[in-house]
Amino acid sequence: MKINFSYNKREIKTVSGYIFKGREYRCSYIRYDSLYENPAPGTEKVEFYNFQPKGNIRASTLILHGLGSRNIKFLLWLGPHLASVGVNTSILILPGNYTRVEDNSTSGSSFLYPDVDKMFRFWEHSVVDTLSTIDVLEQLGHWKSNNILLGYCLGGMISTMVSTLDNRISHTLFMTTGGHIPKILHESPATAYVRKIFANGTKDKYDLYDKDNLYKIYESQFPQVQNMSLDEIVNSQDIHPLFKIDPISYAHLLDMKKVTFVDALFDTTLPIASRNILFKEMEGSNRKVLPISHVNWLPFSYLLARYMLHKVNINDKESKKSLLKSEKIENPLHK
């Protein structure tokens, strides 16, 4: 199977409006028709929140959330605070999540639902929407050469592919993410629904249900994948299709000078072997292991915001201090 992350670049028509504003920023809710050619019903419209500084834009960031919806509200905290110090901040809602859940499904489930065709559809769609959202931000003059892509969990996995494909990203920050899709399918507590499907007798031609055989295939083919170019990974017919949506396949292609990998010491959501193998593939990057879990750091977004400022070279005391100012905003998640 081939995977296709390409799309027809063109001027993108958007619909947007300010939904609230603060002292130093305005927040817009922006929508446009996805440039992905095969979106699932219900996911055709790309949606993202854009926090635009009222003054000069000093840097830009695009944030990709994790599976499900709960983490989004914590990541949204970053928008007004970073924008208040001059960082244009956008939070993209990935297809299949929150307000973009496909018909007759649940938030985030299709990315790991044990059907390769469905998986490919959502991973392809997410990569295309991320790249085209950068196109939109460029059209609006909001995407600066001094920028950072932040990917949390699922967002980090997608960021691996996006950062390999696109040279407009000056730095990628991976937060508590991992790889090795077979281990995630068969060992993560977040994919218990997948194992329940297997237990009910569902089988497929790619052996997703057969843990032992799938692990053996991965073990034998991974050395080959580690030496592949981007084109070879995307087009090869000789490797298991899961490699094409697995961040461990693309990690060796990243410029490690432009990568920061933050791992959570007490993460129990992603199997430790899943995190370690991606961690190893990013050897040479700026790597940090913090005493946090998969989610307990989210309420402390201030520390992440401060680190992001450092990565875009905004280090003055006034800007760091401004992150602590309270912002009276309307919560866009409240309907």
Side-chain angles (χ1 to χ4, degrees):
M1 289 183 70
K2 294 182 179 179
I3 196 161
N4 185 6
F5 296 129
S6 64
Y7 63 100
N8 181 22
K9 272 183 175 281
R10 58 182 182 268
E11 184 176 355
I12 300 173
K13 294 181 179 179
T14 63
V15 176
S16 68
Y18 292 127
I19 54 177
F20 58 82
K21 63 183 179 181
R23 289 188 295 270
E24 307 293 342
Y25 69 90
R26 297 182 181 89
C27 177
S28 299
Y29 178 61
I30 301 178
R31 303 180 78 203
Y32 63 93
D33 293 334
S34 176
L35 274 61
Y36 181 55
E37 294 183 348
N38 185 33
T43 68
E44 299 93 340
K45 293 284 185 183
V46 183
E47 304 169 3
F48 70 95
Y49 298 95
N50 185 70
F51 296 83
Q52 178 189 353
K54 287 183 178 177
N56 292 332
I57 299 176
R58 304 164 71 186
S60 306
T61 185
L62 176 60
I63 296 171
L64 304 184
H65 58 77
L67 277 177
S69 302
R70 285 189 301 173
N71 62 94
I72 295 174
K73 69 178 182 180
F74 294 107
L75 296 175
L76 280 170
W77 182 94
L78 294 168
H81 291 84
L82 288 172
S84 292
V85 296
V87 181
N88 190 88
T89 302
S90 302
I91 297 100
L92 172 64
I93 305 301
L94 294 168
N97 284 271
Y98 185 51
T99 52
R100 299 185 66 197
V101 176
E102 69 276 27
D103 296 347
N104 302 314
S105 187
T106 56
S107 186
S109 63
S110 294
F111 286 86
L112 295 168
Y113 190 89
D115 177 310
V116 169
D117 289 331
K118 179 179 284 192
M119 287 176 164
F120 270 35
R121 191 181 203 182
F122 279 83
W123 288 81
E124 288 176 339
H125 193 174
S126 295
V127 170
V128 169
D129 282 359
T130 304
L131 295 173
S132 59
T133 295
I134 296 176
D135 296 344
V136 170
L137 292 170
E138 279 192 330
Q139 283 181 198
L140 298 172
H142 297 344
W143 189 254
K144 301 298 178 184
S145 58
N146 181 25
N147 64 69
I148 184 168
L149 174 65
L150 166 65
Y152 165 64
C153 190
L154 170 68
M157 299 177 195
I158 294 165
S159 296
T160 312
M161 298 158 203
V162 170
S163 297
T164 302
L165 289 160
D166 199 317
N167 60 14
R168 292 175 294 180
I169 298 164
S170 61
H171 198 87
T172 307
L173 172 57
F174 297 93
M175 285 295 300
T176 59
T177 190
H180 202 295
I181 300 294
K183 290 187 183 297
I184 294 174
L185 288 177
H186 286 282
E187 299 179 33
S188 170
T191 55
Y193 72 99
V194 175
R195 295 189 290 281
K196 186 175 180 181
I197 293 171
F198 292 148
N200 287 334
T202 295
K203 295 184 178 180
D204 67 285
K205 61 182 178 181
Y206 297 110
D207 288 342
L208 302 189
Y209 67 96
D210 189 339
K211 177 181 177 181
D212 292 338
N213 194 40
L214 188 59
Y215 279 29
K216 286 179 184 174
I217 292 171
Y218 246 61
E219 185 176 357
S220 65
Q221 294 184 356
F222 189 42
Q224 178 187 354
V225 175
Q226 287 174 301
N227 289 298
M228 283 183 166
S229 67
L230 177 61
D231 284 344
E232 288 171 333
I233 295 169
V234 168
N235 295 309
S236 175
Q237 301 289 347
D238 299 327
I239 59 176
H240 194 283
L242 283 189
F243 277 115
K244 297 172 186 285
I245 58 168
D246 198 322
I248 65 172
S249 305
Y250 300 86
H252 70 280
L253 301 172
L254 294 168
D255 181 351
M256 299 306 168
K257 296 190 294 294
K258 298 162 56 175
V259 170
T260 298
F261 188 107
V262 177
D263 195 15
L265 184 61
F266 304 117
D267 188 349
T268 57
T269 300
L270 292 172
I272 188 168
S274 148
R275 294 183 280 123
N276 282 346
I277 192 168
L278 183 59
F279 201 69
K280 185 178 178 183
E281 290 305 299
M282 293 188 185
E283 186 173 2
S285 65
N286 180 11
R287 300 190 299 177
K288 302 178 184 301
V289 181
L290 302 180
I292 56 178
S293 76
H294 193 72
V295 296
N296 76 346
W297 64 275
L298 283 167
F300 305 99
S301 299
Y302 163 74
L303 297 174
L304 175 60
R306 183 165 171 162
Y307 187 71
M308 292 173 73
L309 286 188
H310 167 69
K311 298 308 295 185
V312 294
N313 300 310
I314 297 177
N315 293 306
D316 58 282
K317 291 182 180 178
E318 189 60 33
S319 294
K320 294 175 183 176
K321 189 177 178 181
S322 294
L323 292 176
L324 292 172
K325 290 181 181 177
S326 62
E327 289 287 341
K328 187 176 180 180
I329 63 172
E330 299 171 34
N331 188 337
L333 293 180
H334 287 166
K335 294 181 176 180

